[in-house]
Amino acid sequence: MKKKKSAIIIGAGLAGSLWAVYLSKAGYKVTIYERRSDIRLAEISAGKSINLALSSRGWKALETVSVDKEIRKIAIPMYGRVMHDLEGGLTYQPYGKEGEAIYSVSRGGVNARMMDIAESCGEVKILYNHECVGAETEKGIVYLKKKKSNQTFSDQADVIFAADGAFSAVRYNAFQKLDRFNFSQRFIEDGYREILLPARKDGGYQLDKNSLHIWPRGRFMMIALPNEDGSFTCTLFMPYDGGLNSFNNLKTKNSVEEFFKITFPDFYEIMPNIADEWENHPLSSLGIMRSYPWHNGKVALLGDAAHATVPFYGQGMNASFEDCTVLHELMLRHNENWVKVFEDYTKYRKADGDALQDLSLHNYYEMRDFVSDPMFLLQKKIEAKFSKLHPDKWTPLYSMVTFSHIKYSDAYNKGMLQDKIMKEVMDSVDNIESNWDSQEVIEKILDRI
Ligand SMILES: Cc1cc2nc3c(=O)[nH]c(=O)nc-3n(C[C@H](O)[C@H](O)[C@H](O)COP(=O)(O)OP(=O)(O)OC[C@H]3O[C@@H](n4cnc5c(N)ncnc54)[C@H](O)[C@@H]3O)c2cc1C
């Protein structure tokens, strides 16, 4: 009898568990080694974002292997963003065209459902408390340590995927030892801390459930995404150091209370015991890891292990899921010749990983600084009007990234060009604040594209 094709995946996180479904449906015997214990049995680890925004690229990857229906059951649509100003005033901006939404999903919920599906759809075995400590990429061997006994052993497969996240052990212990492997790591000056805004006593939501909420405050900001139980996970992004509004300046309960009272007054009103909640959640760092190439021998890097980014476009998981779409398409195209699949994967996808990281930083500045800038809001208004009039000529950058499957690198290049055009047009029209709605503006944009 012909031996079954075998695959090893390191990491049963978001990318690893979805990719296991793909491989098992393609007839592979899959073994996943996961460092943590089974999240379906344990509380989800504190400190990681407990909800995430899922958008079109992620949905497409889930649909291909029919996982989407299960995830839709736990997904909350967010049709736009609500900006909260210092006086508690609200401004609403839809995300896309009518009906278009991004979806708030629980990280643990998505992960657990995908593990269930992976285990039920073929020969997938997930071994928890198994930490990968090294790999021999050419031979397709991984080295593992059982966390409870410290016993070490090795395993081998036809093909191996390192989906072990931003601090990938496979990347660090194997790829980074290779000649001509490029790697860079950049932590931004800001960290994040999560705060859980509870549901109302009657179980209802304290803020509009179908929006992503933002409190932009110049050099820092807070966002909130809804959870299924009526609560919101709020995330404060702020510099570690530097002046009054920095994490290192908020060391006492009093300083935390004062900070929220002054900076987020409408939130402070509805948030009980902010100082206690603050202490319950750790401060975490944010970084961008770039690597190249994304494969060597029988091993490929997948998801954050290849292209970890800062979370400001809400695309890290979506991009990791899109890696599965791309690998699957290449797998079919090359009839599972993994040498060719991996070569094309790195070649095709690397530019998109880089572009996503650039886009994420760009959106960080946009959310942090610009969404409270009237000229920025005006620019978005003109773009929205123009794209409604000429949808075949102009798709806003946010929509290209979030609601389309255009390569991230193409979206980035088009978006930067659009920004340049808008700035030129706005500079060239007298009194643009009153004339933004004029035919002159439309014609000037048409002239430039
Ligand atoms: C604050 C924050 C907010 C975010 N918001 C969004 C969002 O709204 N939308 C979005 O699309 N993305 C978002 N992201 C990004 C998203 O979380 C990641 O891109 C995504 O989790 C990547 O999936 P992954 O499977 O590659 O890595 P992970 O989900 O990190 O999974 C890696 C897995 O590997 C395991 N592992 C690690 N080391 C080893 C080892 N040595 N041996 C065995 N197993 C190991 C880990 O335990 C884990 O289970 C956010 C990230 C952060 C930090």
Side-chain angles (χ1 to χ4, degrees), residues 207-307:
L207 302 168
D208 175 42
K209 170 192 175 184
N210 294 116
S211 301
L212 188 150
H213 295 262
I214 311 183
W215 289 259
R217 294 293 181 267
R219 188 56 193 85
F220 62 102
M221 67 171 175
M222 185 167 72
I223 64 169
L225 274 74
N227 296 313
E228 278 191 291
D229 63 358
S231 66
F232 278 82
T233 300
C234 311
T235 312
L236 175 65
F237 298 98
M238 196 163 71
Y240 277 79
D241 300 300
L244 284 177
N245 301 314
S246 63
F247 282 115
N248 286 338
N249 194 44
L250 300 176
K251 294 279 192 207
T252 62
K253 283 193 170 193
N254 265 350
S255 60
V256 171
E257 284 278 343
E258 276 307 297
F259 171 73
F260 277 90
K261 204 188 288 182
I262 293 168
T263 325
F264 306 116
D266 59 337
F267 176 77
Y268 182 77
E269 292 264 304
I270 56 175
M271 176 69 210
N273 304 324
I274 179 65
D276 292 338
E277 178 63 18
W278 181 264
E279 285 184 349
N280 287 339
H281 292 271
L283 169 61
S284 304
S285 57
L286 293 165
I288 284 184
M289 280 86 172
R290 293 186 197 250
S291 59
Y292 184 83
W294 290 359
H295 73 286
N296 189 262
K298 294 184 173 176
V299 186
L301 305 173
L302 182 65
D304 274 12
H307 48 70

Side-chain angles (χ1 to χ4, degrees), residues 11 14-15 34-36 52-53 107 132 164 304 314 316-318:
L14 295 169
E34 166 57 50
R35 186 174 60 180
R36 290 177 307 188
L52 305 157
R107 175 191 288 273
C132 179
D164 50 348
D304 274 12
M317 166 185 63
N318 288 288

Side-chain angles (χ1 to χ4, degrees), residues 186-192 237 240 284-288 310-312:
R186 178 192 158 196
F187 286 98
I188 59 169
E189 317 84 74
D190 300 50
Y192 71 95
F237 298 98
Y240 277 79
S284 304
S285 57
L286 293 165
I288 284 184
V310 290
F312 304 107

